[in-house]
């Protein structure tokens, strides 16, 4: 159990290795670095406590450094028990003096004690990846909610939870749906999840994806990315969906689309990215091939029904390779589960590359600045807010420039044409 101390990390001696990793990631985060530079001068968060619950990675460390540069007193805990990079956590605590509470593999009790610790500091701003902090601020720790001026949310699942809370009429804190910004989900969810999920599967199993049948469960932004990357590696991709438009899109993108009951018999590798529970369930395991590999890249570890799988298994061999559990079924076949059904990209690999987190975290940093300034003027309503378009324009312009690309500008005639209705068929 964590005590109320300045940090709770695995081993502070890992700080040196962690710092190297954080500095390496910084090289690929030019937009965030430019924002940090400005924050250092303007100190938009001066006097504010900020508590974040996010995957503790080298990229997140750069976001924490940026918020600190802006004058925030920052605390960080993990948003998933299995995704903490212990060396990075150590470096944040030791080198950056961020109150860090995160240990890879922490049990549920420790996980929640860490969340409590960052809330009990009494933050004015919070930042979530999955809405666990905001959830506590509406239940057990509601007494800390009135001090919170705004909360930022990083991921699809978190935004869904927050919108449900808003719909019930019980939301008490203004929240900013950072995930819904184009500069976040179109890049992070698609290219980030696409690449890092395959990276996690390959690191865990050493599978050759060429020629394999990969079943992508869910065709949202993450599913689109995973499917296109798997196809690029030479896999035969099957998509399963519940939404007809997304199913149609997958079909026209060139994939086979079918119900899970059928896909279960064909797949070699299954990847869930739906945000929903039990999308691979008992009846599906029953018909899978010997040697099928099952993993998840959605936020929570409930997409694969591991309780059903455990009941169907005769024996489980844990850690036959790092992050791989073998379930030996009663009939004798094996099914491999990666990273205990938790986010395979962050548990078995390093999460999304820094270059794409640069955009997500630049959007986070600017959204936090916007929220605190608006709150200071008393004009930040209690609701789920979209990220302002000006922030999206600024992040995408800076990112394009950092990649060495330029785009055109509308001419005055083009602007006039777009603003008028009078010119029709000529
Ligand atoms: N989510 C996915 N990849 C991530 C990363 N590298 N850092 C933080 N959060 C992430």
């Amino acid at each position: 159990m964590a005590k109320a101390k300045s940090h709770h990390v695995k081993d502070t001696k890992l700080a040196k290795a962690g710092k190297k990793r954080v500095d390496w990631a910084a090289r690929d985060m030019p937009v965030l670095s430019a924002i940090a530079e400005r924050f250092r001068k303007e100190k938009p968060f001066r006097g504010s406590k900020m508590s974040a619950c996010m995957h503790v990675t080298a990229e997140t460390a750069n976001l924490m450094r940026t918020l600190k540069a802006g004058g925030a007193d920052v605390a960080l805990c993990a948003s998933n028990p299995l995704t903490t990079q212990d060396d990075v956590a150590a470096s944040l605590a030791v080198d950056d003096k961020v109150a860090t509470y995160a240990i890879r593999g922490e049990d549920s009790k420790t996980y929640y004690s860490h969340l409590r610790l960052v809330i009990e500091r009494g933050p004015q701003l919070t930042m979530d990846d999955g809405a666990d902090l905001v959830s506590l601020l509406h239940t057990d720790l509601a007494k800390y909610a009135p001090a919170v001026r705004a909360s930022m949310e990083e991921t699809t699942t978190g935004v869904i939870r927050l919108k449900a809370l808003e719909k019930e009429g019980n939301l008490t804190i203004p929240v900013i749906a950072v995930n819904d910004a184009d500069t976040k989900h179109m890049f992070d969810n698609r290219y980030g999840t696409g690449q890092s999920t395959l990276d996690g599967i390959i690191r865990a199993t050493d599978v050759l994806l060429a020629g394999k049948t990969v079943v992508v469960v869910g065709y949202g932004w993450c599913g689109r990315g995973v499917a296109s990357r798997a196809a690029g590696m030479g896999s035969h991709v099957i998509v399963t969906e519940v939404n007809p438009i997304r199913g149609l899109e997958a079909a026209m993108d060139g994939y086979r689309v079918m119900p899970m009951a059928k896909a279960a018999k064909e797949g070699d590798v299954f990847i869930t990215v739906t945000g929903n529970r039990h999308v691979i369930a008992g009846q599906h395991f029953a018909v899978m091939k010997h040697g099928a590999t099952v993993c998840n890249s959605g936020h929570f570890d409930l997409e694969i029904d591991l309780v059903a799988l455990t009941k169907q298994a005769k024996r489980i061999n844990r850690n036959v390779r790092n992050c791989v559990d073998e379930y030996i079924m009663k009939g004798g076949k094996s099914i491999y589960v990666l990273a205990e059904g938790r986010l395979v990209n962050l548990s078995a690999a390093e999460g999304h590359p820094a270059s794409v987190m640069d955009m997500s975290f630049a959007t986070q940093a600017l959204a936090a600045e916007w929220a605190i300034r608006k709150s200071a003027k008393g004009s930040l309503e209690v609701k789920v807010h979209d990220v302002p378009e000006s922030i999206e324009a600024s992040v995408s312009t800076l990112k394009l420039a950092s990649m060495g690309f330029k785009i055109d500008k509308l001419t005055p005639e083009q602007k006039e044409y777009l603003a008028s209705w009078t010119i029709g068929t000529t």
Side-chain angles (χ1 to χ4, degrees):
M1 254 286 279
K3 295 194 191 67
K5 50 187 181 182
S6 64
H7 58 261
H8 188 211
V9 299
K10 184 170 181 202
D11 182 355
T12 49
K13 289 200 281 303
L14 298 171
K16 196 169 167 213
K19 183 173 183 310
K20 272 184 157 178
R21 198 164 170 173
V22 179
D23 290 345
W24 176 257
R27 294 173 200 219
D28 245 350
M29 303 183 88
V31 180
L32 191 63
S33 302
I35 293 167
E37 196 67 14
R38 177 171 66 75
F39 279 5
R40 208 160 279 126
K41 294 182 202 124
E42 298 177 9
K43 302 277 183 237
F45 306 118
R46 195 196 309 270
S48 298
K49 283 189 197 148
M50 153 90 76
S51 291
C53 175
M54 312 195 80
H55 301 295
V56 180
T57 65
E59 293 74 29
T60 302
N62 280 292
L63 174 61
M64 297 302 117
R65 285 178 173 180
T66 302
L67 300 170
K68 259 202 101 171
D73 172 0
V74 184
L76 173 67
C77 65
S79 61
N80 183 302
L82 215 51
T83 58
T84 297
Q85 296 169 357
D86 285 318
D87 52 356
V88 168
S91 171
L92 271 168
V94 172
D95 302 311
D96 298 305
K97 306 284 178 277
V98 169
T100 305
Y101 307 96
I103 298 175
R104 184 182 161 103
E106 61 197 12
D107 61 17
S108 176
K109 200 168 159 199
T110 310
Y111 176 81
Y112 278 102
S113 74
H114 287 163
L115 264 75
R116 297 183 84 88
L117 282 172
V118 301
I119 293 179
E120 284 162 3
R121 297 172 95 245
Q124 285 75 47
L125 286 166
T126 67
M127 204 172 260
D128 253 322
D129 189 328
D132 278 351
L133 287 185
V134 170
S135 169
L136 274 178
L137 285 163
H138 284 76
T139 49
D140 293 8
L141 298 182
K143 69 174 179 188
Y144 294 96
V148 179
R149 289 158 64 178
S151 180
M152 272 54 65
E153 174 52 54
E154 166 77 4
T155 200
T156 315
T157 295
V159 172
I160 290 169
R161 291 178 83 191
L162 294 169
K163 288 201 168 155
L165 187 58
E166 182 183 43
K167 202 165 162 207
E168 270 177 17
N170 288 325
L171 184 69
T172 61
I173 299 169
V175 293
I176 324 298
V178 174
N179 176 74
D180 291 1
D182 287 347
T183 46
K184 199 277 179 182
H185 65 262
M186 278 175 64
F187 302 90
D188 170 313
N189 299 24
R190 181 165 42 176
Y191 305 111
T193 310
Q195 179 168 322
S196 62
T197 298
L198 297 195
D199 185 11
I201 294 168
I202 293 166
R203 289 197 206 192
T205 62
D206 196 29
V207 67
L208 176 72
L209 286 170
K212 295 284 189 308
T213 297
V214 172
V215 179
V216 179
V217 189
Y219 206 64
W221 287 103
C222 295
R224 291 175 183 118
V226 171
S228 86
R229 269 50 199 158
M233 298 284 280
S235 302
H236 307 289
V237 175
I238 294 173
V239 171
T240 69
E241 248 303 336
V242 290
N243 176 319
I245 296 180
R246 289 187 175 178
L248 191 56
E249 185 185 354
M252 292 207 188
D253 283 345
Y255 308 121
R256 286 200 295 150
V257 177
M258 62 182 75
M260 190 62 201
K262 186 160 186 275
K265 296 179 192 154
E266 295 201 24
D268 297 304
V269 178
F270 294 81
I271 304 165
T272 58
V273 270
T274 67
N276 211 337
R277 72 180 348 162
H278 296 176
V279 294
I280 301 184
Q283 68 275 22
H284 305 130
F285 298 123
V287 297
M288 279 181 190
K289 295 194 240 179
H290 170 62
T293 298
V294 179
C295 65
N296 168 53
S297 240
H299 184 75
F300 285 124
D301 60 340
L302 43 61
E303 304 212 12
I304 303 166
D305 186 353
L306 287 182
V307 174
L309 181 59
T310 305
K311 277 195 198 132
Q312 286 169 242
K314 158 169 91 180
R315 202 171 70 243
I316 305 171
N317 291 330
R318 299 273 174 210
N319 265 312
V320 287
R321 255 175 84 94
N322 190 28
C323 289
V324 185
D325 290 335
E326 179 183 25
Y327 287 69
I328 302 180
M329 309 299 274
K330 288 182 184 130
K333 76 180 178 191
S334 293
I335 293 178
Y336 299 106
V337 176
L338 308 189
E340 300 166 24
R342 297 191 188 276
L343 285 158
V344 70
N345 59 337
L346 281 139
S347 305
E350 294 173 72
H352 305 352
S355 174
V356 83
M357 294 314 293
D358 187 28
M359 297 183 68
S360 309
F361 287 165
T363 310
Q364 278 282 10
L366 295 180
E369 180 190 30
W370 173 80
I372 199 94
R373 290 201 200 283
K374 215 166 154 58
S375 167
K377 289 190 206 137
S379 60
L380 192 65
E381 262 179 84
V382 174
K383 65 171 200 168
V384 179
H385 294 262
D386 284 333
V387 170
E389 268 178 33
S390 57
I391 291 183
E392 301 226 48
S394 153
V395 171
S396 46
T397 304
L398 287 169
K399 190 70 184 174
L400 264 177
S402 78
M403 294 168 79
F405 294 122
K406 291 194 172 116
I407 59 169
D408 290 320
K409 283 198 167 71
L410 289 172
T411 63
E413 298 79 48
Q414 288 171 330
K415 274 192 194 161
E416 192 188 327
Y417 175 75
L418 290 176
S420 86
W421 60 270
T422 52
I423 307 164
T425 310
T426 53

